[in-house]
Amino acid sequence: MSGNIELLNTTLAAAKAADRAALIAYLPAGFPTVDGGIEAVKAVVAGGADVVEVGLPHSDPVLDGPVIQTADDIALRGGVRIADVMRTVREAYEATGVPILVMTYWNPIDRYGVERFTAELAEAGGAGCILPDLPVQESALWREHADKHSLATVFVVAPSSQDARLATITAAGSGFVYAASLMGVTGTRASVGAQAQDLVGRTRATTDLPVCVGLGVSNAAQAAEVAGFADGVIVGSAFVKAMLDASDEAAGLDAVRSLAGELAEGVRKR
């Protein structure tokens, strides 16, 4: 079975054709439970998310701040495995029909086996992977298997990336480019920062791929601001915090559905 990179491409193109940015939601698999994580994905899509990133919980998530680290710890203590991540992708995709990517650090894939991981992700209906710590110069094996299985390879660029480096990264990627709005880890912030707009402009000069901005967006006003210059707005910590702060799972699902609705309105008001 082929993966769903084309669904990702057409979804982002449709948002652009509608003169808006896409809303991309991040949620970790296995949080608060595997079943609860699948329901959370369904809830953010019901609220208005166009694309979902399913996080593969990791014990040393170098890009992630304390909110997502807390959720990852809960998932890992609950015994989440890669099989549960694949199940989350499969059931979320079957229920929603939207592109589902996995966001993961490289070590779990390396240990699991690249061919096995890509084949299972494609079979589950996944659209690709976001790989924040895989250097482009070491990515040939991954890209070979991702291409074979019609999966996107999404690399992360940062404000510190020089123009020549941006060109190297974007030439190797597919699906979209993940532009980190600032230096640092994930988390909600009072301001997204002017660095993000500059990074999007410099990245666009090197590629025709959509450029989507993450790190720091937590409300409709920030989503609208970022949607003014980016092709997609990526929100993670705000969704996870809404789940963590809820009194129970049902309240958490209501909270993320509501937040997705607010953010979806934001990206449409750019």
Side-chain angles (χ1 to χ4, degrees):
M1 179 175 174
S2 292
N4 269 316
I5 186 173
E6 278 308 312
L7 176 62
L8 176 64
N9 292 341
T10 57
T11 299
L12 295 174
K16 183 176 182 179
D19 194 30
R20 68 173 179 87
L23 175 60
I24 303 175
Y26 167 93
L27 289 162
F31 168 73
T33 61
V34 176
D35 288 342
I38 293 167
E39 292 304 312
V41 174
K42 295 178 187 177
V44 295
V45 174
D50 299 291
V51 178
V52 178
E53 303 173 10
V54 170
L56 194 160
H58 194 271
S59 57
D60 186 25
V62 294
L63 184 69
D64 295 310
V67 171
I68 291 175
Q69 286 186 30
T70 298
D72 278 4
D73 287 345
I74 291 168
L76 291 168
R77 287 201 304 270
V80 72
R81 296 289 184 267
I82 288 179
D84 300 309
V85 177
M86 298 298 179
R87 181 188 152 210
T88 300
V89 171
R90 176 181 294 103
E91 295 191 16
Y93 169 63
E94 289 175 352
T96 66
V98 305
I100 311 286
L101 299 105
V102 169
M103 184 164 187
T104 179
Y105 298 96
W106 180 245
N107 181 257
I109 295 178
D110 192 36
R111 293 186 62 184
Y112 198 71
V114 176
E115 168 60 23
R116 181 183 177 195
F117 190 95
T118 51
E120 290 184 8
L121 181 57
E123 191 276 330
C129 262
I130 300 163
L131 301 160
D133 67 340
L134 177 63
V136 171
Q137 62 270 25
E138 297 174 20
S139 68
L141 178 65
W142 164 266
R143 287 187 285 126
E144 175 191 340
H145 288 288
D147 290 347
K148 175 176 146 185
H149 292 290
S150 300
L151 297 168
T153 298
V154 178
F155 289 114
V156 178
V157 298
S160 60
S161 302
Q162 299 298 310
D163 291 350
R165 178 69 177 160
L166 288 175
T168 300
I169 293 170
T170 59
S174 56
F176 64 91
V177 182
Y178 186 127
S181 66
L182 38 75
M183 301 303 294
V185 297
T186 59
T188 61
R189 288 175 171 82
S191 172
V192 178
Q195 293 181 103
Q197 186 165 0
D198 173 69
L199 176 59
V200 169
R202 292 193 297 117
T203 303
R204 278 192 176 139
T206 71
T207 183
D208 291 329
L209 289 173
V211 183
C212 304
V213 170
L215 274 66
V217 177
S218 61
N219 58 49
Q222 290 174 334
E225 176 192 354
V226 173
F229 57 81
D231 299 297
V233 179
I234 303 169
V235 180
S237 294
F239 284 120
V240 176
K241 187 174 188 301
M243 294 282 287
L244 285 169
D245 290 348
S247 56
D248 56 34
E249 188 175 304
L253 296 176
D254 286 343
V256 295
R257 187 181 301 108
S258 175
L259 177 58
E262 294 169 16
L263 293 164
E265 276 191 38
V267 301
R268 287 163 171 80
K269 286 181 179 174
R270 63 181 185 179

